[in-house]
């Protein structure tokens, strides 16, 4: 998403389960004549939403991609949510919280009368069960490949407590709980709005062995819990997952909040953008995300409801420095000068996309208006390549990895983006060997192994904090980027613990300049994702961080 990552991620589910998507159906077999959740018989309460890919996991703690999180946001809730239409934290299962001045202690007052879908009470003990679950992960569960967000943000486990951000969780009665940290983490509260840190039923996780994961980093397998028995406190309950076809959720009859109009959600996978548009036009779905740039104007003209999110994304071309050629800063600088971002945006990215100069949007604290940039200059690129020893007779040759059959908020059409960029690189003499993978395999390859070259990826911000961008990308050694830069890692660790916003902002501006001159990759653009809906959708709760719960959708029929 975000990511956001709601970016990315997806995993091979045990038992072969792997689906995810929201497909909205107007077919009689999908949309019925039952009363909606509000009792209004005039509104069709079945909502079909088309997703671009399968989810990787029904357990959000072991997920990192937007399609998994879109489903999990309906089933699960965290202690912290977001203010509607923003990336800022707001109370959810925690009605309030108090943080110590030193940032090492946070006390939450919990909402009363809430139960998980399996009937287990939500209380302070349940909160601590979730925190302690993450902290006690071992092996593959504790790896970047599987427990991505906890690995990135909390940095350590019971097995290496000296590196861990988390220290302990202590209940004080049923409705008060204190979480203590070993080190300051200024983004702790907003980070809890991530679906990965949603509250899950301790009973269901134990019964269905939620942490019983296996396989390898390249091909992990998930538990019975993650493939068919999720239990949260959210407004919708999991009913069925037909792998490769659809996921069905139904309204939670015991939900503590407002029910909304939709009493059944069907998430159907339609990986092709043209097929998603055609499904909407035919009335077989109610809506879809990641509308192709060429389709937006035509759908709007035909009367469909179009909704755009503010750009809170980053699309980038990453340089994996495990590749010897990419360890040369001259090469990385040359590749930066070879990229024409303006042409890329005008040719294949949505209207409203902004050109990127650094690895986070301008709206995030610490964005540097004076950062070093590498404006398109093919002659300069050729000069630097020659200085690095590459000529027409001895060209720089690189593997170029990209995903296929998927759309992401930051990357609506990977094949088109690859084509534009590989052509631009070819114009300065770089030979690219294309390697494509399906999305799940692509993420396993680029995030969990060193076996890739330059590659396309990106991020949808999960919450409004610089650490959610720079810290996630460059906070420590990573298989994706393949470099060791202790100076950068230390600077980011220091900045994430600074409570004073002005002081922290100055540090992050310096870090953005450090990243720009180190050149781990090319920040390309901040695409503005667009959604399209049937005219019966009067409003949709668009969120810059994709925090969109379907109880907030307003329907007219």
């Amino acid at each position: 998403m975000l990511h956001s990552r709601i970016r990315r991620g997806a995993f091979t589910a045990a038992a072969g389960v792997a689906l995810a998507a929201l497909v909205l159906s107007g077919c009689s077999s999908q949309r019925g004549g039952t009363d909606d959740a509000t009792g209004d018989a005039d509104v069709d309460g079945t909502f079909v939403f088309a997703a671009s890919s399968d989810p990787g996991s029904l357990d959000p703690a072991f997920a990192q991609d937007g399609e998994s999180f879109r489903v999990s946001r309906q089933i699960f809730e965290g202690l912290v949510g977001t203010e509607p239409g923003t990336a800022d934290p707001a109370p959810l299962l925690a009605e309030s919280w108090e943080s110590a001045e030193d940032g090492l202690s946070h006390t939450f007052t919990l909402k009363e009368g809430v139960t998980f879908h399996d009937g287990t009470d939500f209380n302070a003990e349940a909160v601590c069960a979730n925190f302690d679950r993450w902290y006690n992960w071992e092996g593959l569960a504790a790896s970047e490949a599987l427990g991505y967000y906890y690995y990135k943000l909390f940095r350590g486990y019971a097995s290496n407590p000296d590196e861990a951000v988390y220290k302990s969780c202590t209940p004080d009665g049923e409705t008060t709980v204190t979480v203590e940290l070993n080190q300051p983490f200024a983004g702790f509260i907003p980070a809890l709005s991530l679906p990965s840190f949603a509250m899950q039923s301790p009973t269901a996780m134990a019964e269905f062995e939620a942490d019983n994961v296996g396989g390898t980093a390249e091909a992990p397998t998930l538990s019975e819990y993650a493939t068919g028995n999720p239990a949260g406190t959210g407004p919708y309950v999991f009913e069925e997952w037909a792998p490769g076809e659809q996921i069905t959720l139904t309204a939670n009859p015991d939900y503590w909040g407002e029910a909304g109009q939709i009493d059944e959600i069907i998430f159907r996978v339609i990986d092709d953008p043209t097929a998603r548009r055609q499904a909407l036009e035919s009335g077989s779905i109610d809506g879809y995300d990641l509308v192709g740039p060429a389709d937006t104007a035509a759908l709007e003209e035909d009367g469909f409801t179009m909704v755009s999110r503010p750009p809170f994304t980053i699309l980038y071309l990453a340089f994996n420095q495990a590749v010897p050629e990419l360890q040369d800063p001259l090469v990385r600088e040359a590749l930066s000068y070879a990229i024409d971002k303006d042409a890329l945006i005008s040719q294949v990215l949505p209207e409203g996309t902004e050109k990127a100069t650094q690895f986070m949007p301008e709206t995030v604290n610490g964005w540097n208006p004076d950062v070093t940039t590498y404006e398109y200059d093919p002659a300069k690129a050729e000069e630097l390549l020659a200085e690095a020893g590459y000529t027409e007779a001895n060209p720089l040759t690189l593997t170029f990895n990209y995903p296929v059959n998927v759309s992401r908020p930051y990357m609506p059409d990977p094949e088109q983006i690859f084509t534009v960029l590989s052509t631009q690189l070819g114009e300065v003499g770089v030979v690219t060997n294309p390697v494509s993978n399906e999305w799940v395999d692509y993420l396993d390859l680029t995030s969990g192994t060193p076996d890739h070259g330059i590659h396309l990826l990106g991020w949808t911000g999960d919450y409004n904090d610089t650490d959610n961008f720079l810290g996630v990308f460059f906070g420590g050694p990573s298989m994706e980027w393949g470099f060791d830069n202790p100076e950068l890692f230390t600077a980011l660790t220091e900045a994430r613990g600074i409570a004073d916003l002005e002081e922290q902002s100055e540090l992050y501006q310096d870090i953005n300049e450090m990243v720009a001159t180190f050149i781990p990759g090319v920040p390309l653009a901040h695409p503005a994702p667009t959604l399209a809906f049937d005219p019966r959708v009067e409003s949709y709760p668009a969120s810059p961080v994709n925090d969109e719960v379907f109880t907030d959708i307003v329907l007219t029929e």
Side-chain angles (χ1 to χ4, degrees):
M1 169 117 132
L2 207 321
H3 211 310
S4 347
R5 341 21 200 285
I6 246 178
R7 177 169 89 154
R8 34 197 200 181
F11 306 103
T12 304
V17 179
L19 147 56
L22 310 162
V23 183
L24 313 156
S25 167
C27 303
S28 59
S29 61
Q30 297 287 351
R31 294 165 63 172
T34 60
D35 288 0
D36 67 280
T38 62
D40 182 356
D42 295 330
V43 175
D44 182 349
T46 296
F47 196 82
V48 188
F49 193 97
S52 67
S53 70
D54 290 346
S57 171
L58 296 177
D59 178 351
F62 288 142
Q64 52 177 299
D65 66 296
E67 297 298 358
S68 292
F69 287 161
R70 197 195 311 271
V71 176
S72 68
R73 287 188 192 278
Q74 318 307 319
I75 300 171
F76 299 99
E77 296 168 316
L79 296 178
V80 178
T82 59
E83 291 286 353
T86 79
D88 300 327
L92 192 52
L93 291 179
E95 294 189 328
S96 63
W97 53 83
E98 293 183 5
S99 299
E101 258 186 60
D102 61 7
L104 296 178
S105 178
H106 305 267
T107 298
F108 299 88
T109 300
L110 308 179
K111 188 175 291 295
E112 297 184 47
V114 177
T115 58
F116 291 100
H117 298 159
D118 63 350
T120 301
D121 288 337
F122 167 73
N123 53 28
E125 292 281 356
V127 171
C128 289
N130 278 270
F131 274 94
D132 289 341
R133 174 205 182 192
W134 307 323
Y135 181 59
N136 285 284
W137 278 338
E138 296 178 338
L140 189 60
S143 71
E144 179 181 1
L146 205 57
Y148 182 86
Y149 276 103
Y150 194 86
Y151 176 91
K152 285 288 188 178
L153 298 181
F154 289 90
R155 303 191 171 187
Y157 302 87
S159 58
N160 57 336
D162 291 344
E163 299 176 27
V165 172
Y166 173 76
K167 181 179 181 180
S168 66
C169 179
T170 306
D172 182 9
E174 291 286 304
T175 60
T176 304
V177 62
T178 297
V179 177
E180 292 189 60
L181 307 180
N182 284 312
Q183 53 189 271
F185 174 22
F188 174 67
I189 294 297
L192 294 182
S193 66
L194 282 167
S196 292
F197 306 129
M199 295 291 103
Q200 307 195 48
S201 166
T203 305
M205 288 192 293
E207 180 179 356
F208 298 105
E209 300 182 302
D211 293 336
N212 183 20
V213 298
T216 65
E218 294 81 6
T221 57
L222 297 180
S223 67
E224 186 180 356
Y225 177 84
T227 55
N229 296 279
T233 63
Y236 296 97
V237 177
F238 173 80
E239 288 292 334
E240 183 182 16
W241 186 355
E245 298 177 13
Q246 66 185 39
I247 289 176
T248 303
L249 311 180
T250 56
N252 176 7
D254 300 316
Y255 184 54
W256 61 266
E258 295 185 11
Q261 293 177 289
I262 295 168
D263 53 22
E264 181 182 51
I265 305 171
I266 296 171
F267 297 109
R268 184 187 309 146
V269 177
I270 304 179
D271 59 22
D272 179 67
T274 300
R276 290 198 296 273
R277 188 198 72 228
Q278 292 171 343
L280 181 67
E281 292 172 331
S282 71
S284 63
I285 65 172
D286 287 298
Y288 70 100
D289 202 348
L290 312 177
V291 178
D295 297 331
T296 302
L299 287 169
E300 188 168 21
E301 186 175 335
D302 288 342
F304 292 95
T305 301
M306 309 301 294
V307 178
S308 292
R309 296 190 186 94
F312 201 64
T313 58
I314 176 67
L315 167 68
Y316 57 76
L317 178 67
F319 302 153
N320 175 21
Q321 293 184 43
V323 176
E325 293 86 345
L326 294 172
Q327 294 171 10
D328 187 340
L330 289 174
V331 169
R332 302 200 301 274
E333 186 176 358
L335 296 177
S336 300
Y337 279 117
I339 301 300
D340 186 347
K341 300 177 189 178
D342 292 317
L344 174 70
I345 291 168
S346 65
Q347 290 173 32
V348 299
L349 293 177
E351 184 177 346
T353 294
E354 299 171 358
K355 183 163 72 171
T357 63
Q358 44 218 287
F359 286 87
M360 61 187 219
E362 184 176 353
T363 53
V364 178
N365 175 46
W367 188 85
N368 187 340
D370 302 314
V371 77
T372 296
T373 59
Y374 306 87
E375 297 300 325
Y376 177 56
D377 189 338
K380 180 72 171 175
E382 290 177 342
E383 177 186 324
L384 289 165
L385 286 171
E387 189 178 345
Y390 299 102
T391 63
E392 187 174 349
N394 177 40
L396 173 64
T397 302
L398 296 170
T399 297
F400 193 153
N401 299 86
Y402 65 98
V404 292
N405 299 322
V406 69
S407 297
R408 302 261 45 87
Y410 50 82
M411 188 168 55
D413 194 323
E415 292 97 328
Q416 286 187 351
I417 296 168
F418 161 77
T419 298
V420 171
L421 295 182
S422 62
T423 299
Q424 292 178 358
L425 292 172
E427 289 171 352
V428 302
V430 177
V431 176
T432 54
N433 294 326
V435 176
S436 62
N437 297 92
E438 296 292 331
W439 182 238
V440 172
D441 296 332
Y442 183 76
L443 287 172
D444 291 339
L445 179 73
T446 55
S447 296
T449 81
D451 303 323
H452 53 278
I454 62 173
H455 58 280
L456 292 173
L457 262 178
W459 189 258
T460 299
D462 303 303
Y463 55 92
N464 197 358
D465 187 83
T466 320
D467 185 67
N468 184 237
F469 289 90
L470 298 185
V472 169
F473 300 148
F474 311 124
S478 167
M479 291 283 194
E480 180 183 353
W481 305 94
F483 65 78
D484 185 21
N485 187 332
E487 182 185 4
L488 177 58
F489 302 157
T490 300
L492 283 163
T493 297
E494 179 184 352
R496 81 196 305 255
I498 301 297
D500 182 85
L501 190 62
E502 185 175 344
E503 181 184 353
Q504 188 187 55
S505 180
E506 290 177 1
L507 287 175
Y508 277 129
Q509 287 187 2
D510 292 343
I511 290 170
N512 269 311
E513 176 61 17
M514 191 185 304
V515 170
T517 54
F518 180 64
I519 319 178
V522 182
L524 297 169
H526 306 294
T530 301
L531 303 96
F533 296 98
D534 186 273
R536 82 185 187 108
V537 178
E538 183 175 292
S539 69
Y540 179 84
S543 161
V545 293
N546 294 11
D547 187 10
E548 296 156 0
V549 182
F550 285 14
T551 50
D552 294 329
I553 294 174
V554 178
L555 305 175
T556 59
E557 61 179 64

